[in-house]
Amino acid sequence: MQKQLLFDLGERAGWTGAQAALGLAVTELADIPVWWAAPVALALASAKSWVAGRLGRKGTASTLPATADPATLARGA
């Protein structure tokens, strides 16, 4: 596999895991049914993408540096 693809895969998996863990933590702390973890994680994913799109490279929701982002490399090719 390409190095950039592995970075992208790792970024996506890492953020998904963090959002799921935070969703579960929120439901535990709020003492609400665990099925709320999915909508909470979805809200966190949307917020992360929105923030990354404004603070990161324009046109992407990636938090990877430009040198490791496959989308950046594809545009430059």
Side-chain angles (χ1 to χ4, degrees):
M1 274 196 214
Q2 291 179 331
K3 184 176 166 183
Q4 291 82 13
L5 180 60
L6 289 175
F7 282 138
D8 189 41
L9 179 78
E11 178 202 23
R12 291 170 189 256
W15 277 113
T16 300
Q19 291 154 357
L22 282 171
L24 287 170
V26 166
T27 59
E28 283 293 314
L29 291 172
D31 197 28
I32 56 177
V34 74
W35 68 264
W36 276 100
V40 170
L42 175 64
L44 289 169
S46 299
K48 176 262 176 200
S49 295
W50 185 85
V51 170
R54 271 76 197 147
L55 298 179
R57 286 173 322 286
K58 300 297 182 203
T60 73
S62 177
T63 55
L64 287 173
T67 57
D69 184 21
T72 302
L73 297 174
R75 277 186 272 152

